[in-house]
Amino acid sequence: MDCVPALDEPLKKVLGPATAKVMAEHLGLHTVGDLLHHYPRRYEERGQLTHLADLPMDEHVTVVAQVADARLHTFASSRAPRGKGQRLEVTITDGSGRLQLVFFGAGVHKPHKELLPGTRAMFAGKVSVFNRRLQLAHPAYELLRGDAEETVETWAGALIPIYPATAKLESWKIGKALQTVLPSAQEAADPLPESLREGRGLVPLPEALLKIHRPHTKADIEEARARLKWDEAFVLQVALARRRYADAQLPAVPRRPRPDGILAAFDDRLPFTLTEGQRKVSEEIFADLATDHPMHRLLQGEVGSGKTMVALRAMLAVVDAGGQAAMLAPTEVLAQQHHRSVTEMMGDLAQGGMLGGAENATKVVLLTGSMGAAARRQALLDLATGEAGIVIGTHALIEDKVQFHDLGLVVVDEQHRFGVEQRDALRGKGKQPPHLLVMTATPIPRTVAMTVFGDLETSVLDQLPAGRSPIASHVVPAADKPHFLARAWERVREEVEKGHQAYVVCPRIGDEEDGAKAKKKSPEDEAEKRPPLAVLDTAEQLARGPLAGLRVEALHGRMQPDDKDAVMRRFAAGEVDVLVATTVIEVGVNVPNATVMVIMDADRFGVSQLHQLRGRVGRGSAPGLCLLVSEMPEASAARQRLSAVASTLDGFELSRIDLEQRREGDVLGQAQSGTRSSLRMLAVIDDEEVIAEAREEATGIVAADPELERLPALRTALDALLDEEREQYLEKG
């Protein structure tokens, strides 16, 4: 019988079932190898203290600090009516700031004895606010005592690793578990080819693992980090290089437009000239379409940079060459919008087989889940016979029933909303793999493009078409200056009086079940943030209050598709003055007459999302205005983020800020709800050089040995990266 390799040993055998269960459920750690790759977030020196001034709200933190004072209070409560309730308040300090700890009831006895002024300890808990002060309620703690055999110097100078932890498992308990498994690090198979490792002066993997968990000096930490970053960048880039290599081996039908075909007819009628960027990107796409292996291209462009026009010309080129093109949109509202704008742009070129259709015309069909049976049957028939050259739809396009006559190009709008399986399912509908164009309006820094979309070539549209108006953005501090909010509503009225329209965006719909109201709130809960503002409540309050007399309607994702479309049509037709909506309007909604957007609780949205939303105004000739309403205090990180959005319209600059403020895993599409991002050490923004070099090395290695037969340890690392749980991460949507 094979013995299990040391790093694949399940944690429950090594640490016991109770600890292993918490590690699996809360940290996604299952094996000894997983635990060895759970690296410290930072290190504390016992002689020094953490910065209490920089603690993030609502997060579990571990701090090293000294007790300044401790006071025991008694009070009357429903449980202890005769004034026998006890509360211990302990103030800890690190020189940069102070933090209050609070213990209640029977939980006060042990800390009351142990947390005496002058004591140093590690404290772990969730940061909350009570009476406008930061506090940790009932934190776990570990006293820092020097062991007898340690000299004072080594004790004070030791580096304490602080691990990403949870309420159920503190950092120091993770540290003790690591002590148990650390000897297994010697057995770690090294994925880096030896020539690469030595050529770049990197330490072997077992040594890096020992140094990251038990460093003696800061130089140890640096050496270990440099090595582990390379592992992550390199294994990921090898996976992407293999995907690119495999794609390049696939056959595809070259699609070249005819000089006198539908594309030429379309271009002749354009009422404007294409921007330099649109022309350049179109040429890149046409060159790809003419080759005999499938195009895989990512087209990124700011909101309003004319991506749809570029995609439509690519689709027409394929129709010219006798093929069909499919455009996949993430929502019905967006699919309908694209269908409308494409048929409007094409005019009689979209009326193939109909009376009044142009000579080169084709049919443009819409396919969504909510269509009536007869319309759906007709659309499916048009696709199967080849009558329809272009189809625009939602996930409904991927269903088994949908058959194409000759699918030549798939255009995916807003890639981050689609998984790779959906991309592949649609590509599987072609007789040979169709060409693929992926579009996104979320600007992606180069490093992220290399990491996340590393299997795609990238084109960027960075010019806005002529006639686009500038958008002014301002932060409205509703709590500090309520009259600013009143002025915001006046601005909305002024725009409507000029004949324009407005959006008001809220984070929530407002018809959710609210179980929170039922529970009696403790003082800690009272200090929690109020729930985010909701569309339904806000629409009603505005219609009755500051916007009374204007035509206000609501739009959100849980409405019936027909109702949603009806509201959007009324708004587009100018029959609605103010649309109060969720982020359902974030992508693709195009109403040039809308000039002002008010985003409520703007601090609840990400930077890229705010930038996307803002792009919905200023689409006509009148200037746009975006007001970011927030109740967060001026010094908070959230307000700084909003100020950054207000200060620039450059999406690439904002995406850098976004990336610096969020954890890597979020950016790379893996929600950090207890599962691990595959990037633990690599910082996508800071490590651009490592990623670029790793990509180059990986491409060379895969070209020489596509199956990695000469590099078994790299194969193993690759299989681990691509296990089921992380497949999504890499190919992602």
Side-chain angles (χ1 to χ4, degrees), residues 550-663:
L550 302 187
R551 298 168 297 177
V552 178
E553 290 209 26
L555 176 72
H556 58 77
R558 284 215 293 274
M559 289 164 68
Q560 288 301 318
D562 290 352
D563 298 344
K564 260 193 299 208
D565 200 43
V567 172
M568 264 326 298
R569 274 176 196 276
R570 285 201 295 279
F571 188 63
E575 294 160 19
V576 174
D577 299 320
V578 180
L579 187 64
V580 183
T582 54
T583 53
V584 73
I585 61 152
E586 175 189 357
V587 202
V589 173
N590 184 18
V591 180
N593 192 42
T595 53
V596 57
M597 174 176 285
V598 182
I599 303 179
M600 308 304 291
D601 282 340
D603 46 90
R604 313 272 177 131
F605 298 97
V607 169
S608 294
Q609 200 171 27
L610 290 169
H611 182 60
Q612 285 274 66
L613 286 165
R614 168 171 66 184
R616 301 288 123 224
V617 294
R619 297 175 78 86
S621 51
L625 172 66
C626 178
L627 301 173
L628 306 166
V629 179
S630 171
E631 292 187 356
M632 296 302 275
E634 195 165 355
S636 63
R639 272 284 287 281
Q640 288 164 2
R641 204 170 68 227
L642 295 182
S643 300
V645 174
S647 68
T648 178
L649 291 171
D650 179 343
F652 285 93
E653 177 53 33
L654 287 175
S655 66
R656 278 191 85 89
I657 294 169
D658 198 15
L659 205 45
E660 280 158 8
Q661 293 192 338
R662 287 160 51 180
R663 286 177 298 193

Side-chain angles (χ1 to χ4, degrees), residues 480-500:
D480 315 351
K481 300 178 178 164
H483 60 286
F484 275 38
L485 183 58
R487 177 74 190 112
W489 300 128
E490 282 171 23
R491 284 291 291 115
V492 171
R493 275 189 173 285
E494 287 164 15
E495 286 299 311
V496 172
E497 276 160 20
K498 290 182 199 161
H500 297 306

Side-chain angles (χ1 to χ4, degrees), residues 273-286:
T273 52
L274 297 173
T275 65
E276 186 51 44
Q278 284 174 319
R279 270 205 298 279
K280 185 177 116 302
V281 170
S282 287
E283 277 159 23
E284 291 170 352
I285 291 171
F286 292 150

Side-chain angles (χ1 to χ4, degrees), residues 421-607:
E421 303 83 9
Q422 293 157 324
R423 240 163 61 179
D424 284 350
L426 191 50
R427 278 161 53 179
K429 303 241 174 228
K431 294 186 175 65
Q432 284 195 324
H435 299 280
L436 175 71
L437 178 65
V438 164
M439 303 198 294
T440 177
T442 309
I444 303 163
R446 176 170 168 260
T447 43
V448 181
M450 281 194 294
T451 312
V452 180
F453 298 107
D455 60 334
L456 302 170
E457 298 299 325
T458 305
S459 295
V460 178
L461 272 179
D462 46 14
Q463 284 170 292
L464 289 187
R468 263 319 178 77
S469 307
I471 305 171
S473 307
H474 303 285
V475 179
V476 178
D480 315 351
K481 300 178 178 164
H483 60 286
F484 275 38
L485 183 58
R487 177 74 190 112
W489 300 128
E490 282 171 23
R491 284 291 291 115
V492 171
R493 275 189 173 285
E494 287 164 15
E495 286 299 311
V496 172
E497 276 160 20
K498 290 182 199 161
H500 297 306
Q501 291 161 280
Y503 296 102
V504 177
V505 181
C506 301
R508 228 163 39 97
I509 295 173
D511 57 359
E512 298 88 346
E513 285 297 307
D514 194 358
K517 288 181 184 161
K519 290 193 301 198
K520 192 168 181 323
K521 293 193 169 180
S522 70
E524 277 71 33
D525 291 335
E526 287 296 341
E528 290 285 352
K529 295 190 209 119
R530 61 164 176 73
L533 289 171
V535 165
L536 298 173
D537 308 341
T538 306
E540 198 179 320
Q541 285 158 10
L542 290 175
R544 283 209 312 263
L547 302 184
L550 302 187
R551 298 168 297 177
V552 178
E553 290 209 26
L555 176 72
H556 58 77
R558 284 215 293 274
M559 289 164 68
Q560 288 301 318
D562 290 352
D563 298 344
K564 260 193 299 208
D565 200 43
V567 172
M568 264 326 298
R569 274 176 196 276
R570 285 201 295 279
F571 188 63
E575 294 160 19
V576 174
D577 299 320
V578 180
L579 187 64
V580 183
T582 54
T583 53
V584 73
I585 61 152
E586 175 189 357
V587 202
V589 173
N590 184 18
V591 180
N593 192 42
T595 53
V596 57
M597 174 176 285
V598 182
I599 303 179
M600 308 304 291
D601 282 340
D603 46 90
R604 313 272 177 131
F605 298 97
V607 169

Side-chain angles (χ1 to χ4, degrees), residues 83 96 101 112 180 275 280 320 340 367 425 533 590 595 599 606 626 644-645 673 700 714:
S96 81
L101 315 179
H112 190 216
T180 311
T275 65
K280 185 177 116 302
D320 258 352
R340 263 201 302 278
L367 192 61
L533 289 171
N590 184 18
T595 53
I599 303 179
C626 178
V645 174
S673 52
L714 176 54

